[in-house]
Amino acid sequence: MGKRIVVALGGNALGNNLPEQMLAVKETARAIADLIEGGNEVIVAHGNGPQVGMIQKAMAELTRSDPEKYIPCPLSVCVAMSQGYIGYDLQNALREELLDRGIDKGVATVLTQVEVDPEDPAFNNPNKPIGAFMTKEEADKLVAERGYQVMEDAGRGYRRVVASPRPQNVVELGTIRALVDTDHVVVACGGGGIPVFATEGNHLKGAAAVIDKDFASEKLAELLDADYLIILTAVEKAAINFGKPNQKWLDTISVAEAEQYCQEGHFAPGSMLPKVQAAMTFAQSKPGRRALITLLEKARDGIEGRTGTVIVNS
Ligand code: ADP
Ligand code: MG
């Protein structure tokens, strides 16, 4: 029987610039169409690192060209732009691939806001560098004028740093669910979602933060009552002793084993660690839920139990 699957796409599914993305999404669409053809319901989430970096840089240049006319573009708006642009490419590639296979399904991107907690400890320790490198003078000016936080980055100059809080809730959940329940393929939670704070009344306020796409995809999978969270990335499996002579690829592991490997420091923070943590959280959230980490082009093999690292609650 078909499963409900949230697929989280990593950077390699989208490429690093416009022409790369145009090409990459074709292969990505094939991998996703394989899952749909297998009778599964698929919801697509994705990262946005290079894309939001590009947009942020372009907007910063615009401000630099005429600061009176163009005030700095909030990060939340940059994330929204990246969701639109990536969604546009993914949506078109998926539509075409499905039609080529004789599958007639609606494909839609939902601009997704994800609520974060203003009390999240991440706000006391912004550590995610974003945007272009700056001189000390440029950085000082942004600190004074806009209250930005900046960090010197390995002798290469200054960069703005923002917090990476945990996702609490998906604002457009009802809309996403309605589309999924009526057999649409939905692209949602791009770039981890547009981070927002709930404020007084019904107002949502964009937050200067970035949400990790692995954690946002996990939250979305839980809220949609998915059976599977599939994190597609640049490696076929997670490994212990990664990159060392005694490296060992992991097949099926329990949450307890994963927890032990996390504590032993086998997974790099900022790359494999959030994936394993998201996978553990999902596998633990309800009996029967499973998480898989594998290569983009191995998605179908992975779900059929032939490859990837599977994390199960046992
Ligand atoms: P994505 O864009 O898919 O989120 P990341 O670069 O953030 O990709 O994370 C995937 C990368 O994590 C892999 O390409 C690999 O180089 C790295 N990595 C770090 N630790 C491990 C590990 N223990 N096992 C496998 N890959 C690891
Ligand atoms: Mg990553």
Side-chain angles (χ1 to χ4, degrees), residues 9-12 213-214 232-235 237-240 242 249 266-268 270-272 275:
L9 301 173
N12 65 328
K213 71 105 175 38
D214 299 312
L232 297 178
T233 185
V235 285
K237 297 177 185 182
I240 51 172
F242 181 65
W249 297 113
H266 288 287
F267 311 120
S271 59
M272 189 48 73
K275 297 184 201 317

Side-chain angles (χ1 to χ4, degrees), residues 36-180:
I36 296 168
E37 209 168 39
N40 302 294
E41 287 175 344
V42 178
I43 301 96
V44 183
H46 59 82
N48 72 345
Q51 294 82 3
V52 78
M54 174 184 85
I55 291 164
Q56 219 260 346
K57 187 159 190 249
M59 298 311 285
E61 286 300 323
L62 189 69
T63 302
R64 202 176 282 183
S65 74
D66 187 346
E68 298 290 304
K69 191 165 170 194
Y70 303 109
I71 63 155
C73 181
L75 186 56
S76 51
V77 176
C78 294
V79 175
M81 289 181 184
S82 78
Q83 286 189 349
Y85 151 58
I86 296 168
Y88 163 56
D89 267 359
L90 272 177
Q91 187 175 309
N92 263 337
L94 269 168
R95 175 185 171 275
E96 184 175 338
E97 182 65 30
L98 292 173
L99 285 175
D100 286 351
R101 296 183 189 205
I103 302 170
D104 188 9
K105 267 185 203 289
V107 185
T109 302
V110 176
L111 284 187
T112 316
Q113 304 176 86
V114 172
E115 211 182 305
V116 295
D117 180 356
E119 304 295 326
D120 192 301
F123 287 105
N124 298 326
N125 177 32
N127 60 1
K128 193 103 184 143
I130 56 150
F133 286 96
M134 298 176 282
T135 64
K136 179 151 188 359
E137 291 68 40
E138 288 170 321
D140 286 345
K141 192 159 177 277
L142 284 179
V143 173
E145 287 177 5
R146 306 203 51 90
Y148 285 4
Q149 287 183 274
V150 298
M151 222 157 78
E152 217 275 333
D153 192 338
R156 292 179 296 176
Y158 287 78
R159 282 179 95 186
R160 184 177 173 199
V161 285
V162 297
S164 186
R166 292 299 177 112
Q168 303 297 334
N169 195 28
V170 175
V171 177
E172 287 76 17
L173 181 68
T175 306
I176 297 168
R177 189 187 283 127
L179 287 167
V180 174

